[in-house]
Amino acid sequence: MTDPIKIDVWSDIACPWCYIGKRNLETGLAEVATDADAPRVEVTFHSYELSPDTPVDFEGTEIDFLSHYKGMPADQVEQMLERVTGVAADAGLGYRFDILKHTNTVKAHELLHFAKEQGMQKEMTERLMSAYFTEGRHVGRVDDLADLAAEAGLDREAAREALESGRYLEAVRADQAQAQAYGIQGVPFFVIDGKYGVSGAQPAAAFAQIARQVWAERAEAPAAN
């Protein structure tokens, strides 16, 4: 049996285009799952911090953050957020920038590595992104993250202990070092089978097309001894 296609995704919980890209990837893969010779795919998420210097408790709105912290004019920020909200809606996501709590995401990334070890990375990634972009939940503090871990199906106290220990920080830094080695300068970034790089929140059809292409290449390749 042909090995599954490996899709490695570098993203940040606080990246609006990453959640859109994730959803479009899922939609594209759901489409090819109905093919007669459906590609088998294994998706792994990797850590990337867009703003590692962000405080855990940022006082202000998303407009405040981008206009003051990033030096963007407020009217430009409003237009950008309106556009992103529209694109997210097209992907089936209801973004709420008006209630979003901007925060540092390193602990959220540590939680994703804990979840990965438990075989629950997919569920935890979805829970964190939904909580952040659509529910106005805080995803930077240990207690809040432990609650979200429990909601995703993980053991709350085990998740809390993992975050307090900081033992997954090394895994987060390893992901970031790999991103740097690949030359990744923005997310989402998708590495397909270690040889194709896809940047940005591509449409679902684009992900379906590349999955079919790589699967066909696998079928044509001579079997390894």
Side-chain angles (χ1 to χ4, degrees), residues 127-184:
R127 188 70 201 93
L128 284 169
M129 288 183 161
S130 177
Y132 185 72
F133 283 108
T134 74
E135 302 166 34
R137 299 279 291 274
H138 202 300
V139 301
R141 298 183 299 232
V142 169
D143 282 343
D144 298 277
L145 288 168
D147 288 342
L148 289 167
E151 291 169 23
L154 291 161
D155 182 274
R156 186 187 190 281
E157 290 311 309
R160 180 187 173 86
E161 188 277 325
L163 293 173
E164 288 181 335
S165 73
R167 68 176 178 270
Y168 291 95
L169 181 59
E170 185 178 346
V172 173
R173 299 302 182 223
D175 275 355
Q176 293 169 331
Q178 183 62 66
Q180 190 172 20
Y182 276 144
I184 298 171

Side-chain angles (χ1 to χ4, degrees), residues 2-18:
T2 306
D3 290 337
I5 297 168
K6 294 189 181 299
I7 300 182
D8 293 284
V9 187
W10 271 263
S11 65
D12 193 0
I13 298 304
C15 162
W17 293 105
C18 292

Side-chain angles (χ1 to χ4, degrees), residues 70-101:
K70 296 295 185 182
M72 296 172 65
D75 58 344
Q76 182 183 333
V77 172
E78 289 182 22
Q79 291 172 11
M80 183 184 72
L81 295 182
E82 187 175 331
R83 173 173 170 259
V84 174
T85 300
V87 176
D90 289 341
L93 302 171
Y95 279 9
R96 289 290 307 275
F97 286 109
D98 57 320
I99 59 172
L100 183 149
K101 292 180 174 61

